[in-house]
Amino acid sequence: MLWQFDLQVLVTWGMLSVALMGILLVWVLYTTLVMGFIWQLSLRDSVLPFVIGIQEFMLLSLTDAEFHGLWLYVLASLFVTVNWIVHISLRRARQHPANAQYFATIAPATLRDFRGVIVIIVIAIALGLAIDFSGSTIWLPLLAIVYANGILIRQIVVTRRLWWSLMADRPAVTAPSASQEQQE
């Protein structure tokens, strides 16, 4: 079925695209935080990635030829979980002196800073409700898939900017010259 071309197949491929980009985004975001900041790790830091993994598996298990609003609810829950984890990680990173240079010009986050992600989540839930209540077979799911892919592409670009800003703040590591090695 996935090798035919019609709008339903396009929606299914779009769902797979969202799931795979979501996995990639979570990986890139997590590695950016781990390589870019220093903070005191807690047990939560080793458990919460499994919560995200379970949500990602749920998203993949709901990928089917028939689109359901539940798929969008799981996607919205992923946005909630990932943003919560990033927020608590950045709060702890802010407390570590080694990260002071990065946070020197950035005020602590307030609820106002989460407006964008709240809008993303509300739109995903609203699209899911519209699909569930309207019984729309193709146009609303297609709109939802285009929306979800667009949001994830935007998030990847934002994470890329974070990566480059973090790496610009780190001193370059160079190999010691022969004269430096002899002095030691």
Side-chain angles (χ1 to χ4, degrees), residues 26 50 72 117 122 147 150 166 169 179:
V26 167
F50 287 100
L72 286 166
V117 92
V122 167
Y147 170 75
L166 286 171
D169 284 345
S179 62

Side-chain angles (χ1 to χ4, degrees), residues 33 36-40 86-100 102-103:
L33 290 174
F37 293 111
I38 296 172
W39 74 86
Q40 181 64 43
V86 168
H87 177 67
I88 60 174
S89 297
L90 288 175
R91 267 195 356 219
R92 287 201 326 262
R94 179 181 285 281
Q95 296 169 352
H96 198 284
N99 303 318
Y102 180 81
F103 289 108

Side-chain angles (χ1 to χ4, degrees), residues 36-182:
F37 293 111
I38 296 172
W39 74 86
Q40 181 64 43
L41 296 174
S42 68
L43 183 59
R44 177 176 44 207
D45 293 308
S46 61
V47 172
L48 288 178
F50 287 100
V51 173
I52 292 172
I54 290 168
Q55 290 174 299
E56 289 171 343
F57 282 124
M58 287 173 56
L59 196 65
L60 282 168
S61 72
L62 292 169
T63 300
D64 193 10
E66 177 127 359
F67 190 90
H68 300 282
L70 183 58
W71 188 87
L72 286 166
Y73 308 145
V74 172
L75 182 63
S77 75
L78 260 164
F79 270 95
V80 170
T81 304
V82 170
N83 277 280
W84 176 65
I85 291 170
V86 168
H87 177 67
I88 60 174
S89 297
L90 288 175
R91 267 195 356 219
R92 287 201 326 262
R94 179 181 285 281
Q95 296 169 352
H96 198 284
N99 303 318
Q101 180 182 357
Y102 180 81
F103 289 108
T105 60
I106 301 172
T110 64
L111 186 58
R112 185 181 186 110
D113 296 313
F114 294 96
R115 287 180 307 202
V117 92
I118 291 169
V119 168
I120 289 169
I121 293 163
V122 167
I123 290 173
I125 291 170
L127 282 168
L129 289 170
I131 289 166
D132 285 344
F133 289 120
S134 73
S136 172
T137 56
I138 198 61
W139 294 109
L140 276 174
L142 187 60
L143 174 67
I145 290 304
V146 169
Y147 170 75
N149 275 288
I151 291 299
L152 285 172
I153 289 169
R154 182 182 174 279
Q155 292 296 117
I156 289 170
V157 169
V158 168
T159 303
R160 181 176 179 254
R161 285 186 200 138
L162 173 63
W163 169 267
W164 285 113
S165 72
L166 286 171
M167 295 305 118
D169 284 345
R170 300 289 177 226
V173 177
T174 57
S177 65
S179 62
Q180 289 174 327
E181 286 179 357
Q182 289 174 354

